[in-house]
Amino acid sequence: MLRRDLVDLTYKTTTRDCVVATGTLHDTYTGTTISFVRGQDTSTAVQIDHVVALSDAWQKGAQQLSAEQRRDLANDPRNLQAVDGPTNGQKSDSDAASWLPPSKEYRCTYVSRQIDVKSLYNLWVTQAEKDAMIRVLQAC
């Protein structure tokens, strides 16, 4: 996901360009630009978010999926995105009813991605979540 979502990448030597060492994230959640530097004290600045949080997915139908389907959900690139680490921490396992990206410009895409993922994996939404999604999409 780092390779997909970051620009100006450099790679750790001897990894055949498999391990990102540095890069720049144009974070869609906050609208800010973040310099990524791999390291124990720096890597958390950029985190990989599950657009549909795995806990939310579990509560809304993933417990009925097979182990293979749950693994697919957890690793599906449509459900993964490099984002600002602290903002991802604030999101935690929230759904659209309780958390939306601070960047209003990205909310339509964010909600659309959640709908795509939930539909693909036959996950449901609560009424509050549906109402929030409709409000966001009506403003697109």
Side-chain angles (χ1 to χ4, degrees), residues 14-78:
T14 70
T15 66
R16 299 182 187 184
D17 293 349
C18 287
V19 178
V20 174
T22 65
T24 302
L25 174 67
H26 299 292
D27 181 47
T28 56
Y29 282 7
T30 63
T32 61
T33 299
I34 303 164
S35 295
F36 171 80
V37 178
R38 181 174 297 281
Q40 183 175 349
D41 298 325
T42 56
S43 289
T44 58
V46 173
Q47 296 178 9
I48 306 302
D49 181 38
H50 287 95
V51 175
V52 174
L54 297 182
S55 174
D56 179 54
W58 183 261
Q59 295 169 42
K60 295 174 182 163
Q63 76 278 8
Q64 298 173 9
L65 300 176
S66 69
E68 181 180 2
Q69 290 169 314
R70 289 194 304 271
R71 195 171 34 257
D72 290 347
L73 168 64
N75 294 296
D76 191 329
R78 291 167 286 204

Side-chain angles (χ1 to χ4, degrees), residues 52 76 78 109-122 133:
V52 174
D76 191 329
R78 291 167 286 204
T109 301
Y110 176 78
V111 166
S112 294
R113 286 182 69 185
Q114 283 198 328
I115 292 168
D116 288 345
V117 169
K118 287 193 171 203
S119 176
L120 181 64
Y121 291 95
N122 297 310
M133 289 173 160

